[in-house]
Amino acid sequence: KALLEDLALFGIRELHDAQTASLAGSQHGLDKLKRLAVAYVDFARARPGAYRLIFHVNNPSEESPSVTMARTAAASLMVQAIGESQEQQLVTDGPVDVLAFALWSAAHGLSHLLISEQVEAFTEASADIDSTIDFALNRYLHGIATARGRRWLDTLTHG
């Protein structure tokens, strides 16, 4: 159990580092959210074994304090980006942690479906996975964005 926890901790830290690196040069809240979600999905695609271990190593109620702290640090990136987006009036009002959890759910669902090869049943979606991921994340962000945020997102998809 200790070895699996150590490996999970290493994976969580790698994911956190990848997400942190994805934020380099980004000042816009919605851009940060998109980058965090893409980095999450990219990590799962590049490191499916580590990704699975991170989330299936043990029962969270029996988790070591170091794993819990690492998970909290990783989650805080999305929470902070949601808060910044709300301050910039780009994301709707609402509980920051609920909005962050919803974005995490979207990225986690995409990741799980991709690494378990469930997308293959969807011919057009699987033809260009990167575009499919981009579309799915943009749709999610569009859903929580204010009118100002949606205008910014539309500039990404329409030039």
Side-chain angles (χ1 to χ4, degrees):
K1 181 179 175 183
L3 177 60
L4 289 176
E5 281 188 359
D6 285 347
L7 290 170
L9 184 58
F10 184 76
I12 293 166
R13 288 180 178 150
E14 281 188 320
L15 173 59
H16 182 266
D17 291 348
Q19 287 185 299
T20 300
S22 77
L23 297 176
S26 179
Q27 298 299 314
H28 195 281
L30 286 171
D31 183 48
K32 287 182 179 184
L33 290 171
K34 175 92 178 270
R35 288 178 184 216
L36 288 168
V38 168
Y40 186 95
V41 174
D42 286 348
F43 177 84
R45 291 171 66 195
R47 306 279 318 279
Y51 175 82
R52 285 183 181 104
L53 181 63
I54 288 170
F55 296 104
H56 302 290
V57 67
N58 61 11
N59 181 342
S61 65
E62 299 172 8
E63 196 166 76
S64 74
S66 58
V67 171
T68 300
M69 285 176 39
R71 286 185 199 280
T72 301
S76 72
L77 294 173
M78 279 192 191
V79 171
Q80 289 170 351
I82 291 282
E84 288 176 24
S85 296
Q86 286 179 329
E87 289 172 10
Q88 296 170 355
Q89 299 179 337
L90 300 168
V91 167
T92 58
D93 289 334
V96 173
D97 62 334
V98 172
L99 291 166
F101 181 79
L103 176 57
W104 176 47
S105 298
H108 188 75
L110 279 168
S111 297
H112 184 72
L113 290 170
L114 289 168
I115 67 173
S116 61
E117 299 180 13
Q118 299 299 312
V119 73
E120 305 306 322
F122 300 90
T123 309
E124 289 184 46
S126 63
D128 184 353
I129 295 297
D130 292 328
S131 291
T132 297
I133 293 166
D134 189 63
F135 175 81
L137 294 174
N138 280 341
R139 289 293 79 204
Y140 170 79
L141 291 172
H142 210 275
I144 66 165
T146 60
R148 181 177 176 207
R150 286 190 297 274
R151 284 191 300 276
W152 181 83
L153 286 167
D154 289 344
T155 64
L156 294 181
T157 56
H158 302 300

